[in-house]
Amino acid sequence: MFFNLPRDGRLLFVTRAARLFSYGFISVILVLYLVELHFSQAEIGLLLTLTLIGDTVISLWLTTRADRIGRKKILIAGAFLMIFGGVMFALTDNILLLLIAATIGVISPSGNEVGPFLSVEQAALSQVVSNEERTKTFAWYSLAGSFATATGALSVGALVNFLVQSGVSAVSSYRIVVICYACGGAILAIIFSRLTSSVEVEVDHEKSSNSPGILQNITGLSSSRKMVLKLSALFTIDSFAGGFVIQSLMAYWLHLRFGAEPVALGGIFFGANVLAGLSALLAARIAERIGLINTMVFTHLPSNILLILVPLMPNLELAVVMLFLRFSISQMDVPTRQSYTMAVVKPEERSAAAGVTGVARTTGAAISPSIASIMLGSTALLSMPFFIAGGLKIIYDLMLYYSFITQKPPEEV
């Protein structure tokens, strides 16, 4: 699949892998690093929340203008924000400076996509592949990211373990990881600079020069607005639920509940992300038979039941088994959701559509980490994030099916 893509498509796969490696690398140790810096549970929750809120505002501004300003320029700008966030987190333990870095910079506490990258890359990929190949391309694109996240998680566990055994303090070893994260942003900027004009879209400047309405000016959407806003509302529910169990908090929960150390956590999330990536390929095949919406819903429902079962397990081994089962199907909705969104909007609104839905997901996930962090500080509430996340995600699945089952993408009509 990779070698059949045009040059720009291959570069976007490489940037996806490099970025998600960096995200997986930092997400496993981020909360542990902040704990070593002696921040309270409330301060850590606030930092995580502001990381996501800042990403929401910046991503909305960048992605809704990407088709007009230039997708390549926006991607490079995002890479520099990633460098800024990593450098600031590495250089200071001042809470005010870190709050600024969390708000402005690009830091991933979840191991998942943040910043403008995913939205713009989705639009660019849809530009260079056919409708028939879109879902399959997104599945492989998701697989590349999952394997990269998994490798990053495994690598950070091994690196921290090596550094600590070599006599480096825990906080210094974590700081080295954050510096490596900033270097990942620099690598992204270099690769993005190699993209060609093929990733850009033709914009009707005469039409765009007319005074847009307030919503169009904010979202960059016109004819696709109603569809995108409806999808965004549902995605907000799903991401709010997911914010209770982001990878950083899940790793910390395993550490609190079962005493899992960074090297073990790295291995656990390596396996989990590999399973998630492989499931994306299966999702493309299932979607060819039963459709995108059916695939999104019918694979997501059982994964949420498995999520609720995780804290009910009596030991680490069984908890990891439940997590692995959940990850083996939980990400099947990712390439299908991305493909569906790109299919139902106009090509010149794809970056904006991906940006608005992406920002909706970030917004939904911005509040819940701070709530979950407080729960993790209480023995009585330690398992509540899993129950809340699973329950809300089930509600999202049912609402999505009811709202969009009759609205088919072009290749299913």
Side-chain angles (χ1 to χ4, degrees):
M1 177 69 193
F2 176 80
F3 295 103
N4 293 329
L5 290 170
R7 177 180 177 276
D8 286 313
R10 294 195 298 272
L11 285 177
L12 291 172
F13 266 62
V14 173
T15 58
R16 164 79 168 177
R19 185 170 63 255
L20 269 292
F21 177 89
S22 299
Y23 290 169
F25 200 66
I26 197 173
S27 66
V28 172
I29 60 89
L30 183 58
V31 174
L32 297 175
Y33 175 51
L34 295 174
V35 169
E36 286 292 328
L37 293 178
H38 305 296
F39 291 124
S40 67
Q41 299 286 349
E43 289 173 329
I44 291 173
L46 180 61
L47 276 168
L48 296 181
T49 293
L50 285 179
T51 296
L52 297 172
I53 290 176
D55 170 68
T56 298
V57 175
I58 292 172
S59 293
L60 180 62
W61 193 91
L62 291 174
T63 55
T64 54
R65 289 158 176 78
D67 292 336
R68 288 171 283 171
I69 294 175
R71 293 169 177 170
K72 177 178 175 178
K73 292 178 181 177
I74 294 299
L75 289 170
I76 293 174
F80 277 101
L81 290 176
M82 184 173 166
I83 296 170
F84 172 75
V87 168
M88 289 297 290
F89 267 72
L91 292 182
T92 183
D93 59 359
N94 182 288
I95 184 65
L96 293 178
L97 293 178
L98 287 180
L99 287 172
I100 294 172
T103 304
I104 300 175
V106 172
I107 295 283
S108 176
S110 64
N112 297 324
E113 285 280 13
V114 293
F117 306 110
L118 178 63
S119 303
V120 181
E121 286 184 354
Q122 285 175 358
L125 281 173
S126 297
Q127 186 89 4
V128 298
V129 300
S130 65
N131 286 337
E132 292 71 24
E133 293 294 315
R134 187 185 59 254
T135 302
K136 185 185 297 183
T137 301
F138 279 14
W140 281 97
Y141 176 79
S142 181
L143 176 66
S146 293
F147 267 93
T149 304
T151 305
L154 183 66
S155 299
V156 76
L159 175 61
V160 170
N161 187 58
F162 169 77
L163 291 172
V164 170
Q165 288 187 350
S166 299
V168 179
S169 67
V171 67
S172 295
S173 64
Y174 296 151
R175 185 170 285 116
I176 290 171
V177 171
V178 179
I179 292 171
C180 291
Y181 176 82
C183 292
I187 293 171
L188 282 180
I190 294 171
I191 301 175
F192 284 138
S193 70
R194 306 297 297 170
L195 293 172
T196 71
S197 59
S198 297
V199 302
E200 309 294 352
V201 66
E202 290 289 337
V203 178
D204 188 340
H205 293 286
E206 181 178 346
K207 183 177 179 181
S208 63
S209 64
N210 296 329
S211 297
I214 295 176
L215 275 177
Q216 183 176 347
N217 189 50
I218 295 174
T219 65
L221 300 167
S222 55
S223 60
S224 307
R225 187 188 309 134
K226 184 177 179 180
M227 171 73 75
V228 172
L229 293 180
K230 192 175 180 181
L231 283 168
S232 297
L234 290 173
F235 292 166
T236 300
I237 297 173
D238 181 44
S239 59
F240 175 75
F244 282 93
V245 287
I246 59 174
Q247 189 160 295
S248 291
L249 292 177
M250 200 177 293
Y252 188 50
W253 181 84
L254 290 170
H255 175 72
L256 288 176
R257 177 74 183 273
F258 301 112
E261 295 299 327
V263 64
L265 293 171
I268 290 169
F269 287 103
F270 172 80
N273 284 289
V274 166
L275 290 172
L278 292 174
S279 73
L281 294 184
L282 184 58
R285 295 188 178 183
I286 295 174
E288 290 178 357
R289 297 189 177 186
I290 67 174
L292 292 172
I293 292 294
N294 284 336
T295 304
M296 291 164 65
V297 173
F298 296 155
T299 61
H300 211 225
L301 277 170
S303 77
N304 297 326
I305 295 172
L306 290 167
L307 180 63
I308 293 172
L309 292 177
V310 170
L312 301 179
M313 297 299 104
N315 54 52
L316 177 62
E317 290 75 15
L318 289 176
V320 170
V321 168
M322 288 297 110
L323 277 178
F324 280 5
L325 289 174
R326 189 238 174 188
F327 271 89
S328 69
I329 56 176
S330 67
Q331 299 301 300
M332 286 187 181
D333 74 312
V334 173
T336 47
R337 181 185 70 234
Q338 295 168 349
S339 181
Y340 184 82
T341 303
M342 294 296 95
V344 297
V345 302
K346 290 185 176 181
E348 64 270 22
E349 295 184 10
R350 281 173 173 163
S351 290
V356 171
T357 54
V359 163
R361 295 188 62 82
T362 305
T363 302
I367 302 172
S368 38
S370 60
I371 302 173
S373 294
I374 294 172
M375 291 179 176
L376 292 179
S378 168
T379 304
L381 299 177
L382 192 62
S383 298
M384 283 302 296
F386 291 88
F387 300 140
I388 294 173
L392 287 176
K393 281 177 170 288
I394 289 172
I395 293 173
Y396 153 78
D397 289 329
L398 297 176
M399 292 177 66
L400 179 69
Y401 184 83
Y402 175 79
S403 300
F404 287 96
I405 187 59
T406 60
Q407 302 184 48
K408 306 292 184 182
E411 65 269 24
E412 293 180 18
V413 176

